[in-house]
Amino acid sequence: PPHPRAAFAHSLIPIALGYLIAHYFTLFVTEGPRTVIVASGTDNPVPPAPLLDPGGTAALQVIAIIVGHVLGVVAAHDRAVRLLPPEKAIAGQLPLFALMIAYTLGGLGLLIA
């Protein structure tokens, strides 16, 4: 069987993608088109209209963080159920579940602050 760290590493990918979306969505949708316009030779590009208002952007960020964490927990749970005996699979995940809730609340707290 794989080492536990390697066996559960895949569960970090959705979390990383959630934070990537939460932190860089606005940069990508505003500076991405502007970069393409400047690269095409326009000296004074007109800033593109924002896709979302500030409330929509904040909602997207919160949803991205929560969905990333939920998918990460689900991925870790699925792997634990396959690799570990049933009594250890559930009990061993409770500390991780509590930690993930703390990380989610911490991430949302940083986003709101």
Side-chain angles (χ1 to χ4, degrees):
H3 192 276
R5 282 181 278 190
F8 293 95
H10 74 287
S11 65
L12 296 176
I13 293 171
I15 297 168
L17 288 175
Y19 277 103
L20 181 74
I21 292 168
H23 288 288
Y24 294 109
F25 172 78
T26 54
L27 177 69
F28 178 71
V29 298
T30 58
E31 294 302 321
R34 189 176 314 178
T35 301
V36 171
I37 292 169
V38 169
S40 68
T42 304
D43 290 336
N44 196 6
V46 176
L51 293 176
L52 298 172
D53 64 346
T57 301
L60 175 75
Q61 291 172 326
V62 168
I63 290 168
I65 290 173
I66 291 173
V67 168
H69 281 212
V70 167
L71 291 177
V73 168
V74 168
H77 173 76
D78 287 346
R79 183 63 52 93
V81 168
R82 272 192 272 133
L83 293 178
L84 303 171
E87 64 278 356
K88 288 187 179 181
I90 302 299
Q93 292 179 59
L94 294 177
L96 177 63
F97 183 67
L99 181 64
M100 196 54 62
I101 289 172
Y103 282 164
T104 303
L105 294 175
L108 294 175
L110 289 172
L111 184 65
I112 292 169

